Amino acid sequence: MRPMIRLRYLPDLTATDRSSVGDFLRQETVGGALALIAAVVAVAWANTPWSASYADLRHVQAGPLTLEQWAADGALTIFFFVAGLELKREFVVGSLSRITDAVVPVVAAVCGVAVPALIYTAVNLAHPDGRPGGWAIPSATDIAFALAVLAVVGSALPPQLRAFLLTLAVVDDLIVIVIIATFYSSSLHLVPLAVAGAGMVVWWLLQHFRIQLWLVHIAVAVVTWWFMHESGVHATIAGVALGLLTRVRRDPGEAVSPAAFLEHQLHPVSAAFAVPVFAFMSAGVAVSGGASLTADPVVIGIVLGLVLGKPVGVFGGSWLLCRLTRADIDDDVRWRDVAAVAVLAGVGFTVSLLVSELSFSGAEREAAKTAVLVASTVAALLASVLLGLRSRAHRASAPTA
């Protein structure tokens, strides 16, 4: 009989994978730090005697949108466009192109989205004042913050864990993007949606026929974004769609693919501008309410979803799949390492704040944002401790030169 072949969970990375993950980590570390600074400034400003000026700034009209809307619908579209490019790269030539490598982080991401949503829904259905409409708020993992924390405190961890977190966060983004498009779009306007769809077709044709007129690409992107906004579908979906329609494979004699070129050019813009601007415009909530907040089912559901549901979903999904299939964890990785990374997945922040804005208004929105900030902070601190301990353990067990 032929010996049974067991799949390897978190296999050793190739040289190309190591380079790609390393470059992405370095960029996200800077972006996460800038977004954190922007969020701290916003929260501090919103809780000073000059908080009214912060609110006035967010509502300044700049053309067809306010500054707050430009941040959520405009700047964040750049972030989602880069996410779309990264998704396309992962699907075509990255870790998601290899089914055996992708299956565990994909299952972990799905469970990491489902368990927090179920916890939030259960809490809010059981409470007479519950608002289950915000079920998707604790489902997101903030890729920039999570990777930034991992880079700072987990330097001695096996590189497979970084690839796992990156793949997990990328798939998480895709799932939440689909949720936003499906459940959090306003009433559809078919004519603008058709124009946006036509813009996507034109973008694909430009890619297919290798037309490298970047001014035309920019014009098509802007038209597609605007009409997607006018259609009632959240404008960031246009960014994801155009990213997924961008060509990833290089032609013979081509130095880089269009996707690689655009990601190289726009990732610094996304990390250093788009995400920090959104964080600044969105995170400024007045922290008040005290006991009333701790009894709010929305707050309880979000905090439990991110701090408890995320690690249970990510770790539980990974562990169960390995127990029920022929998958084995890599020899360099321990399940305690995976558990620490699963806790880190509870850092929601950017996309959770976006879903909070789409789910609620007024005081409910502010309570949801406060819960996201508190839960993400708790998850980041817990993960920092756990990852630091695991990093020291790996450093101590490493062979000396």
Side-chain angles (χ1 to χ4, degrees):
M1 293 181 60
R2 296 176 60 186
M4 183 173 62
I5 300 174
R6 298 187 68 83
L7 303 177
R8 180 63 65 186
Y9 168 41
L10 296 178
D12 290 331
L13 302 182
T14 65
T16 301
D17 288 336
R18 287 177 184 269
S19 175
S20 175
V21 172
D23 291 344
F24 202 88
L25 275 167
R26 284 188 288 273
Q27 292 170 328
E28 291 298 342
T29 302
V30 175
L34 291 175
L36 177 60
I37 293 170
V40 170
V41 171
V43 172
W45 191 352
N47 288 275
T48 66
W50 305 279
S51 58
S53 62
Y54 174 77
D56 292 340
L57 176 64
R58 290 200 294 184
H59 296 109
V60 168
Q61 194 74 26
L65 305 175
T66 64
L67 291 183
E68 185 179 18
Q69 290 170 327
W70 276 115
D73 296 345
L76 213 55
T77 299
I78 300 173
F79 166 80
F80 277 102
F81 178 69
V82 174
L85 293 173
E86 178 64 19
L87 277 168
K88 181 68 173 290
R89 189 190 70 79
E90 291 294 323
F91 282 131
V92 176
V93 298
S95 60
L96 295 180
S97 65
R98 301 184 295 270
I99 299 299
T100 55
D101 293 351
V103 61
V104 174
V106 168
V107 170
V110 172
C111 294
V113 168
V115 174
L118 290 173
I119 289 176
Y120 177 93
T121 302
V123 169
N124 280 267
L125 288 178
H127 198 285
D129 297 324
R131 293 175 287 280
W135 59 271
I137 296 173
S139 295
T141 294
D142 189 288
I143 189 170
F145 275 131
L147 291 174
V149 171
L150 183 63
V152 171
V153 300
S155 58
L157 291 174
Q160 298 97 309
L161 286 172
R162 295 174 173 82
F164 170 67
L165 179 60
L166 176 58
T167 304
L168 169 74
V170 166
V171 176
D172 184 285
D173 278 349
L174 177 61
I175 297 172
V176 175
I177 287 163
V178 173
I179 290 173
I180 291 172
T182 306
F183 297 99
Y184 290 93
S185 296
S186 57
S187 57
L188 288 178
H189 303 288
L190 296 181
V191 173
L193 185 62
V195 175
M200 295 175 194
V201 172
V202 172
W203 181 275
W204 179 84
L205 290 173
L206 292 172
Q207 297 292 311
H208 181 73
F209 291 106
R210 276 48 174 182
I211 299 173
Q212 298 184 1
L213 300 175
W214 291 109
L215 287 177
V216 176
H217 281 78
I218 293 172
V220 171
V222 171
V223 169
T224 303
W225 168 79
W226 177 250
F227 280 96
M228 183 67 75
H229 177 274
E230 292 297 289
S231 72
V233 177
H234 199 266
T236 54
I237 303 302
V240 178
L242 294 180
L244 290 172
L245 291 171
T246 305
R247 181 166 58 88
V248 168
R249 296 190 185 276
R250 291 184 300 162
D251 287 337
E254 195 173 37
V256 294
S257 68
F261 172 78
L262 286 170
E263 190 171 354
H264 177 74
Q265 297 295 319
L266 291 178
H267 203 295
V269 177
S270 171
F273 173 75
V275 175
V277 164
F278 173 76
F280 177 74
M281 286 293 175
S282 184
V285 294
V287 181
S288 60
S292 63
L293 275 181
T294 60
D296 190 329
V298 170
V299 173
I300 296 172
I302 292 172
V303 172
L304 289 180
L306 286 173
V307 177
L308 178 63
K310 269 291 183 180
V312 168
V314 171
F315 181 84
S318 305
W319 188 85
L320 281 175
L321 186 66
C322 287
R323 290 295 175 267
L324 298 175
T325 66
R326 293 180 298 170
D328 274 335
I329 195 168
D330 191 84
D331 294 337
D332 294 333
V333 181
R334 299 290 181 268
W335 280 111
R336 283 170 288 181
D337 302 330
V338 179
V341 171
V343 173
L344 183 57
V347 180
F349 199 66
T350 304
V351 182
S352 291
L353 287 174
L354 174 62
V355 180
S356 297
E357 292 194 347
L358 298 176
S359 301
F360 301 122
S361 61
E364 292 177 350
R365 176 187 293 178
E366 299 304 296
K369 287 184 177 182
T370 301
V372 168
L373 294 176
V374 170
S376 297
T377 301
V378 171
L381 292 175
L382 287 175
S384 296
V385 173
L386 295 174
L387 289 167
L389 292 173
R390 295 307 306 153
S391 187
R392 283 195 290 273
H394 280 279
R395 190 178 291 111
S397 63
T400 57

